Amino acid sequence: MQDALHRTIERDLTARQRQLILMYFYDELDVTEIAKETNLDKSTVSRTLKRAKERIRKSMQFYVDYMNRFPAEM
Protein backbone atom coordinates (compact mmCIF):
# COMPACT_ATOMS: atom_id res chain seq x y z
CA MET A 1 0.00 0.00 0.00
CA GLN A 2 2.84 2.37 0.85
CA ASP A 3 4.46 1.75 -2.54
CA ALA A 4 1.17 2.58 -4.24
CA LEU A 5 0.96 5.81 -2.27
CA HIS A 6 4.48 6.82 -3.27
CA ARG A 7 3.75 6.03 -6.92
CA THR A 8 0.56 8.06 -6.76
CA ILE A 9 2.36 11.06 -5.28
CA GLU A 10 5.05 10.88 -7.95
CA ARG A 11 2.79 10.13 -10.90
CA ASP A 12 -0.53 11.87 -10.25
CA LEU A 13 0.37 15.14 -8.53
CA THR A 14 1.73 18.32 -10.02
CA ALA A 15 5.14 19.47 -8.83
CA ARG A 16 3.56 22.09 -6.56
CA GLN A 17 1.02 19.62 -5.13
CA ARG A 18 3.81 17.13 -4.46
CA GLN A 19 5.95 19.78 -2.76
CA LEU A 20 3.13 20.96 -0.49
CA ILE A 21 1.94 17.44 0.37
CA LEU A 22 5.46 16.45 1.40
CA MET A 23 5.84 19.60 3.49
CA TYR A 24 2.46 18.99 5.15
CA PHE A 25 2.71 15.27 5.89
CA TYR A 26 6.44 14.51 6.05
CA ASP A 27 7.80 17.78 7.41
CA GLU A 28 4.63 18.21 9.51
CA LEU A 29 4.28 21.90 8.68
CA ASP A 30 0.92 23.61 8.94
CA VAL A 31 -0.64 25.76 6.21
CA THR A 32 0.74 28.99 7.68
CA GLU A 33 4.28 27.61 7.87
CA ILE A 34 4.09 26.25 4.33
CA ALA A 35 2.80 29.60 3.05
CA LYS A 36 5.73 31.40 4.67
CA GLU A 37 8.33 28.96 3.32
CA THR A 38 6.94 28.94 -0.22
CA ASN A 39 5.89 32.60 -0.45
CA LEU A 40 2.38 31.48 -1.36
CA ASP A 41 -0.88 32.82 -0.01
CA LYS A 42 -2.44 30.65 2.72
CA SER A 43 -5.57 30.21 0.60
CA THR A 44 -3.44 28.94 -2.30
CA VAL A 45 -1.72 26.44 0.00
CA SER A 46 -5.05 25.24 1.41
CA ARG A 47 -6.64 24.90 -2.03
CA THR A 48 -3.61 23.09 -3.47
CA LEU A 49 -3.47 20.67 -0.53
CA LYS A 50 -7.20 19.97 -0.86
CA ARG A 51 -6.86 19.19 -4.56
CA ALA A 52 -3.79 17.04 -3.99
CA LYS A 53 -5.51 15.04 -1.25
CA GLU A 54 -8.50 14.47 -3.52
CA ARG A 55 -6.25 13.19 -6.33
CA ILE A 56 -4.50 10.86 -3.89
CA ARG A 57 -7.82 9.66 -2.50
CA LYS A 58 -9.17 8.86 -5.98
CA SER A 59 -6.00 7.05 -7.02
CA MET A 60 -5.76 5.06 -3.82
CA GLN A 61 -9.45 4.13 -3.99
CA PHE A 62 -8.79 2.55 -7.39
CA TYR A 63 -5.91 0.59 -5.82
CA VAL A 64 -8.02 -0.52 -2.83
CA ASP A 65 -10.89 -1.57 -5.12
CA TYR A 66 -8.46 -3.52 -7.28
CA MET A 67 -6.87 -5.27 -4.27
CA ASN A 68 -10.30 -6.14 -2.84
CA ARG A 69 -11.01 -8.16 -5.96
CA PHE A 70 -8.48 -10.73 -4.75
CA PRO A 71 -9.22 -12.10 -1.28
CA ALA A 72 -6.24 -12.57 1.00
CA GLU A 73 -5.18 -16.13 1.52
CA MET A 74 -5.64 -17.42 5.03
Side-chain angles (χ1 to χ4, degrees):
M1 182 79 84
Q2 191 171 3
D3 288 339
L5 177 60
H6 287 288
R7 280 193 305 275
T8 295
I9 290 170
E10 287 297 317
R11 184 189 62 218
D12 295 342
L13 301 184
T14 66
R16 178 179 280 177
Q17 288 174 334
R18 188 170 33 257
Q19 174 191 21
L20 300 186
I21 281 289
L22 293 175
M23 292 175 83
Y24 187 77
F25 285 105
Y26 291 101
D27 298 336
E28 298 182 354
L29 301 178
D30 64 25
V31 171
T32 303
E33 293 167 324
I34 294 170
K36 285 180 185 177
E37 283 204 28
T38 59
N39 293 321
L40 295 171
D41 196 58
K42 284 183 359 180
S43 63
T44 301
V45 172
S46 293
R47 186 173 50 252
T48 304
L49 284 170
K50 181 179 177 182
R51 289 177 180 160
K53 289 178 201 176
E54 185 58 32
R55 278 189 177 187
I56 292 169
R57 193 174 297 116
K58 284 180 183 179
S59 245
M60 293 305 292
Q61 187 59 51
F62 174 81
Y63 174 78
V64 168
D65 291 346
Y66 178 79
M67 294 307 292
N68 284 336
R69 293 177 62 200
F70 305 101
E73 294 186 41
M74 297 173 97

